[in-house]
Amino acid sequence: MKRTSVLLAAGLAFAALPVFADSDDPIIIPIHNWSSQIVMSNVVGQIYEEMGLNVEYVTTDSQAVYESVRLGDVTLELEVWEGAFGASFRAALEKGGIVDVGDHDAVTREDWWYPMWTKDACPGLPSWEALNDCAELFATPETGDKGRYLDGPVDWLKHGQERAEALGLNFTVINAGSAAALWAEIAAAEADKKPIVVFNWTPNFAEAVWEGEFVEFPVWVDGCDKDPAVGPNPTALYDCGNPADGYLKKAAWDGMAEKWPDAYGVLERVSFTNAQIAEMAKLVDIDELEPEEAAEQWLEDNEDVWKPWLGGA
Ligand code: TMO
C-alpha cells in the first residue's frame, strides 16, 4: 500500500515523492527470561516509539524465537548470544527468512562458572579436569556421589548433560527454573563459602557482585556440536566449552528492511558494549526497577549513545 502510493506520487511529480515511510503495523519485539535482553528490548522499543512507530512485545522461548523471526511472526531479536543460541540461529539462517544485522560491540561468554571461594576448596581450577577431580566437593543429596552443576533454564542451553557425558564429567546437570534461581544459589552458598558451580555469563550484573571465573573446558571449535571428530572425544558431540569470546548479534526478519526501513536502519546502527549491557541487567537485578522503567532510565542517562543511532530517521 505504501509502495503503491510512492509509485503514484512518482508518476505525478518527483518533487512530491514521499520518503519511504515505515509501516504503521507494530514492530514485534520478543522478550525472554534474562534481564539485559528484556531491558535492551524495551530500550530499542522505546526508541522506535519515539520515532512514531508502533511496537508490541511478546514473551517467547529463546530458542524457538529464531524460527519466529524467520517466519516474520516477530520482527527482530536484539540478543543473539553465540554460546546459547548460535546453533538455532545458524539453523534458521540456513532455512532462510532471517538476516544477520551485525554484531554488538560486546564480547560474550556463557559457561560453567564458580564464585572465587570455590577455588580455595579446589585449587586446580579453572581447568575442567581439576574440577572433575574435585567432583565430590559438589555432591548433594540430589546428585548422590556426583557433583551438582546448576545449569540455566532449559531453553538456554540444550546440551549440558551431553557435554558432561562426552567429557566423562562426574557431574549431574540440573536445570534452574529461572535466572533468579541461579543468583539465589550463589547468594546462599556465599555465607559459608560452599563450593558451587553454576551457569553464568558475561556481560551481566553478577560480575560486579561476585568475583568468580569460568571453568576452562576444551576450547570451542566450530563444528563441535555437529561433528564428533571435532573436540577431544572423537566419538562425541558437545565435548567443547562454549566460545570464550563469543559474539552478540542482532537478527531480523528479512522483510523488515522493506516494511520498516527507518527502524531497520536504527537496528543496523544499534551496538551495545559489555558495560552498557551489564548496567541494563543491574537496573533490574540489583536496583529492582521494572524493565520498562529501567529502559527509560537507561535512555535518559545515555542520550549521547543512542541519539546518533537515529541517523536521518
Ligand atoms: C542467554 N544467556 C545470556 C542467559 O546466557
Side-chain angles (χ1 to χ4, degrees):
M1 149 182 90
K2 128 196 128 189
R3 288 271 169 212
T4 313
S5 65
V6 167
L7 292 176
L8 286 175
L12 295 174
F14 185 79
L17 186 71
V19 288
F20 282 94
D22 283 29
S23 169
D24 287 336
D25 292 350
I27 294 170
I28 300 175
I29 301 182
I31 299 283
H32 309 306
N33 51 354
W34 66 97
S35 300
S36 68
Q37 196 273 347
I38 306 174
V39 176
M40 188 189 295
S41 296
N42 278 273
V43 162
V44 173
Q46 288 177 25
I47 291 173
Y48 285 161
E49 282 170 344
E50 189 115 330
M51 292 162 62
L53 302 173
N54 292 311
V55 174
E56 228 171 80
Y57 301 95
V58 292
T59 298
T60 82
D61 179 280
S62 62
Q63 299 285 350
V65 72
Y66 296 96
E67 190 65 10
S68 305
V69 174
R70 198 176 76 70
L71 298 173
D73 293 340
V74 304
T75 312
L76 54 81
E77 168 60 53
L78 284 158
E79 286 196 6
V80 186
W81 292 67
E82 182 173 8
F85 311 120
S88 293
F89 180 51
R90 285 190 293 275
L93 279 174
E94 265 166 42
K95 289 192 197 169
I98 188 170
V99 284
D100 179 341
V101 192
D103 293 25
H104 291 279
D105 177 80
V107 177
T108 65
R109 187 166 187 181
E110 311 164 81
D111 226 320
W112 296 39
W113 176 96
Y114 53 85
M116 214 49 121
W117 62 77
T118 299
K119 206 172 176 172
D120 299 336
C122 186
L125 287 170
S127 140
W128 68 274
E129 286 154 308
L131 176 75
N132 210 20
D133 291 341
C134 294
E136 75 282 359
L137 286 178
F138 302 86
T140 64
E142 188 184 15
T143 59
D145 56 0
K146 295 205 175 191
R148 176 171 182 270
Y149 167 58
L150 186 62
D151 207 345
V154 283
D155 60 317
W156 294 352
L157 292 131
K158 294 295 189 191
H159 305 290
Q161 193 60 51
E162 281 129 303
R163 189 201 290 186
E165 278 155 29
L167 292 173
L169 286 170
N170 249 329
F171 277 81
T172 299
V173 176
I174 309 282
N175 286 103
S178 65
L182 297 171
W183 319 139
E185 178 89 356
I186 303 170
E190 191 170 18
D192 49 359
K193 303 287 186 274
K194 183 164 121 43
I196 54 164
V197 57
V198 302
F199 180 72
N200 198 352
W201 62 93
T202 182
N204 190 2
F205 81 93
E207 52 213 293
V209 180
W210 299 288
E211 200 194 339
E213 291 175 339
F214 289 101
V215 175
E216 297 294 345
F217 281 102
V219 168
W220 166 260
V221 182
D222 278 332
C224 194
D225 57 347
K226 285 268 190 295
D227 179 359
V230 174
N233 181 339
T235 61
L237 299 177
Y238 312 113
D239 49 338
C240 302
N242 287 326
D245 52 357
Y247 63 65
L248 185 68
K249 282 183 180 295
K250 305 158 289 176
W253 170 54
D254 70 0
M256 183 184 177
E258 194 178 333
K259 187 164 179 182
W260 297 278
D262 285 345
Y264 188 80
V266 170
L267 183 62
E268 285 181 302
R269 289 185 287 273
V270 160
S271 172
F272 293 103
T273 65
N274 284 62
Q276 289 161 353
I277 293 166
E279 170 71 13
M280 289 180 198
K282 173 195 167 277
L283 289 169
V284 168
D285 288 322
I286 299 182
D287 301 346
E288 299 187 341
L289 298 182
E290 291 301 319
E292 306 75 42
E293 296 166 351
E296 281 166 30
Q297 175 82 51
W298 193 90
L299 286 164
E300 207 175 293
D301 295 343
N302 292 278
E303 284 195 3
D304 57 323
V305 174
W306 63 267
K307 285 261 160 97
W309 297 341
L310 295 178

